[in-house]
Amino acid sequence: MTVAASLLLLALLGPAEPRTYYWRDATGQTHITNTPPPADAEILESPPPPAVEPGKSGRLVPIRQSASRGGNRQVVLTPVQQQAWQSLDQRLAKARSEGDRRTLEAVTDSLIWDCLWGSGLWAMPALPLLSVLLMGLMGWWLALGLRPGSQIPLVGGFLLLGLAFGHLLLNVFLYHPQSVRLRQNLELLEHHMGTGRTLRPEYRHLLQTRYQALDKAVDPLQAPWHFPAEVKVLREAMKRVMVEP
């Protein structure tokens, strides 16, 4: 029951993240926030995310697993992708020069959210629920012709099988793509933070440790809530590095 409740909670609440607002105040200063802007603010269109998906002009999204030669972490950027990351680097450099910590954190949150739920990944948490539902219906159908004492164990067994299969689907079709996309894009972000220099060794070690923990959390033998917990820790570590590189 605990696993079922966790899967249900993930499906219902997983994609929920604060909306990012882009606006300009009365003095002409541009802001990126997770809270609604003032009533007198000028609402701006969302700037393109910091990486580009090949073959889709005008629609910029984070690097996907399928765009990196079988999911390898080494990514060869196209000229358009390189331009998008350089543009992000300039935006972040401007935010740093102005001491705009809120923008640095908002960009980090936006990139992580797109890595987790972009390109249709937002629908993947429904897979374990469908698995439990289908296996439960199959067990109920098979139990119709049995004695009452045999029906409950059979249906319960099929529900457990549905949970196990659903957990496998969750890892294959959601957690693994999320893990690959997070690591690829955040490693690119490390080189485009607007600082003009590499990360300090201690921060580089911190992020590598978090990436490795994320890879381990994808293991199907791990509890389904382990991966979201590691994502949360990685998010806080990345925001810390972004603000104080």
Side-chain angles (χ1 to χ4, degrees), residues 176-204:
H176 183 69
Q178 286 179 335
S179 175
V180 172
R181 291 177 60 171
L182 279 169
R183 182 159 188 170
Q184 288 174 344
N185 285 276
L186 294 184
E187 285 184 338
L188 282 170
L189 183 60
E190 293 176 23
H191 301 284
H192 298 84
M193 288 186 169
T195 62
R197 54 182 172 81
T198 59
L199 286 179
R200 286 186 282 174
E202 60 268 27
Y203 280 162
R204 180 60 181 161

Side-chain angles (χ1 to χ4, degrees), residues 21-227:
Y21 297 88
Y22 301 86
W23 52 280
R24 183 179 294 118
D25 60 25
T27 64
Q29 178 68 41
T30 301
H31 300 271
I32 305 176
T33 65
N34 289 327
T35 56
D40 60 345
E42 177 188 356
I43 306 300
L44 305 175
E45 292 186 3
S46 302
V52 185
E53 185 176 357
K56 292 190 177 181
S57 59
R59 173 130 163 54
L60 305 179
V61 299
I63 300 295
R64 299 186 308 171
Q65 179 185 0
S66 59
S68 57
R69 298 182 180 179
N72 296 325
R73 287 191 294 270
Q74 295 299 323
V75 180
V76 178
L77 299 179
T78 67
V80 181
Q81 289 174 321
Q82 294 176 9
Q83 182 179 4
W85 279 102
Q86 291 170 2
S87 176
L88 174 70
D89 193 54
Q90 295 171 1
R91 258 193 339 265
L92 294 177
K94 184 175 183 294
R96 291 187 187 284
S97 66
E98 297 172 350
D100 191 353
R101 173 172 179 164
R102 185 165 51 183
T103 294
L104 299 175
E105 293 181 342
V107 168
T108 305
D109 282 330
S110 178
L111 177 61
I112 291 177
W113 190 93
D114 284 334
C115 290
L116 291 174
W117 306 112
S119 301
L121 290 181
W122 59 268
M124 292 300 104
L127 290 178
L129 294 179
L130 292 175
S131 172
V132 173
L133 178 61
L134 291 176
M135 295 303 293
L137 289 175
M138 183 178 297
W140 171 79
W141 179 73
L142 292 175
L144 288 177
L146 300 179
R147 297 191 306 270
S150 303
Q151 292 177 346
I152 295 180
L154 180 62
V155 174
F158 269 84
L159 287 175
L160 290 176
L161 185 61
L163 282 174
F165 189 50
H167 181 52
L168 180 62
L169 291 174
L170 196 68
N171 276 270
V172 173
F173 293 103
L174 183 64
Y175 288 169
H176 183 69
Q178 286 179 335
S179 175
V180 172
R181 291 177 60 171
L182 279 169
R183 182 159 188 170
Q184 288 174 344
N185 285 276
L186 294 184
E187 285 184 338
L188 282 170
L189 183 60
E190 293 176 23
H191 301 284
H192 298 84
M193 288 186 169
T195 62
R197 54 182 172 81
T198 59
L199 286 179
R200 286 186 282 174
E202 60 268 27
Y203 280 162
R204 180 60 181 161
H205 176 72
L206 170 65
L207 292 179
Q208 285 298 317
T209 301
R210 299 271 46 94
Y211 297 149
Q212 293 169 6
L214 199 68
D215 291 341
K216 293 179 180 178
V218 178
D219 193 317
L221 298 180
Q222 296 286 345
W225 53 82
H226 191 194
F227 181 81

